[in-house]
Amino acid sequence: MNKRKVIPEILNRKSSVCFSDKPVSSEEINLLIEAAKWAPSSRNMQPWKVIFVSKKDDSYSDVLASLSDSNQVWAKNAEIFAIFAIFDDKNINKKFLDIGFCGQNMMLQAEYLGIATHPMGGWSEDLVKKAIGIPEKNHVVFVLALGKKGVAEELEPELKIREEKERMRGDNKDNFNFSNWDFN
Ligand SMILES: Cc1cc2nc3c(=O)[nH]c(=O)nc-3n(C[C@H](O)[C@H](O)[C@H](O)COP(=O)(O)O)c2cc1C
């Protein structure tokens, strides 16, 4: 029988708050880069600029401090922050889309490698730029927290609840249709 199913990494990826201390290897980082770079982009411009900052880097604490307070609570356990930025000139909307594809590729590859991920929009643009020397003309689009998957039982209670919460999606009928725009 032809058992078609959704790619497991798509179903299993989640915005995790559970990271272990185990290091992500440079080989794994290279695989994340390899997956990310094969994302589609408008006119194949590959507008993404991605900077990896690990706990070993001096700039790590500044990137952490650039995040919103509510993100710092859990993101302090992530070994790596990948900062996704684009150069701000023309076709900015397309670049935002392109870099989103790039980030999704990286997250799915991370899931395949047992690396937890969590994309963030909650940070100060000024502070994150200052932390790693991003020139003014660029936009930071999102910050991705990364780290080997941890054990939920070892998390403090509030984070454990968050990590184990069932992921939710709306009804397909609210987002997908056939033949015509027929949404309420
Ligand atoms: C652009 C973007 C910004 C986000 N910003 C934050 C954030 O600042 N803090 C946070 O905890 N989660 C953030 N998230 C994660 C979403 O809350 C999460 O993707 C959503 O609840 C669906 O859950 P799932 O990723 O586990 O499927 C962000 C996600 C995206 C795509």
Side-chain angles (χ1 to χ4, degrees), residues 74-115:
W74 55 266
K76 66 181 188 309
N77 299 323
E79 188 202 346
I80 295 168
F81 296 125
I83 293 104
F84 284 71
I86 51 175
F87 188 69
D88 180 9
D89 51 3
K90 43 189 175 10
N91 296 326
I92 195 81
N93 289 349
K94 294 220 171 62
K95 288 180 180 176
F96 272 97
L97 183 61
D98 296 339
I99 201 167
F101 289 137
C102 171
Q104 180 73 357
N105 269 20
M106 189 181 292
M107 289 191 280
L108 294 179
Q109 180 68 32
E111 182 62 37
Y112 179 74
L113 296 170
I115 295 169

Side-chain angles (χ1 to χ4, degrees), residues 7-170:
I7 297 165
E9 286 73 23
I10 291 177
L11 295 178
N12 296 333
R13 180 212 59 82
K14 65 175 178 181
S15 294
S16 175
V17 294
C18 186
F19 306 93
S20 88
D21 296 339
K22 270 199 227 142
V24 177
S25 69
S26 51
E27 188 197 354
E28 287 169 324
I29 298 282
N30 285 337
L31 289 169
L32 296 179
I33 291 172
E34 206 53 33
K37 82 181 205 188
W38 285 105
S41 61
S42 174
R43 293 184 291 133
N44 200 18
M45 291 296 279
Q46 304 152 61
W48 42 78
K49 309 280 181 219
V50 185
I51 303 96
F52 293 88
V53 174
S54 90
K55 273 197 170 161
K56 288 189 227 107
D57 295 317
D58 292 341
S59 51
Y60 180 92
S61 56
D62 289 337
V63 175
L64 181 62
S66 77
L67 306 179
S68 64
D69 291 347
S70 58
N71 281 336
Q72 287 187 38
V73 170
W74 55 266
K76 66 181 188 309
N77 299 323
E79 188 202 346
I80 295 168
F81 296 125
I83 293 104
F84 284 71
I86 51 175
F87 188 69
D88 180 9
D89 51 3
K90 43 189 175 10
N91 296 326
I92 195 81
N93 289 349
K94 294 220 171 62
K95 288 180 180 176
F96 272 97
L97 183 61
D98 296 339
I99 201 167
F101 289 137
C102 171
Q104 180 73 357
N105 269 20
M106 189 181 292
M107 289 191 280
L108 294 179
Q109 180 68 32
E111 182 62 37
Y112 179 74
L113 296 170
I115 295 169
T117 59
H118 195 143
M120 283 175 276
W123 30 263
S124 149
E125 173 109 11
D126 280 351
L127 291 183
V128 77
K129 277 180 165 172
K130 215 175 275 171
I132 53 169
I134 299 178
E136 192 46 45
K137 262 197 85 72
N138 297 272
H139 271 307
V140 177
V141 180
F142 62 100
V143 176
L144 183 63
L146 295 147
K148 294 295 265 188
K149 288 189 184 195
V151 179
E153 279 65 36
E154 294 171 5
L155 289 170
E156 47 212 87
E158 271 178 30
L159 288 183
K160 181 172 182 291
I161 290 168
R162 192 166 165 186
E163 181 65 18
E164 291 178 336
K165 201 169 165 205
E166 191 187 353
R167 290 167 65 233
M168 303 294 285
R169 290 296 186 265

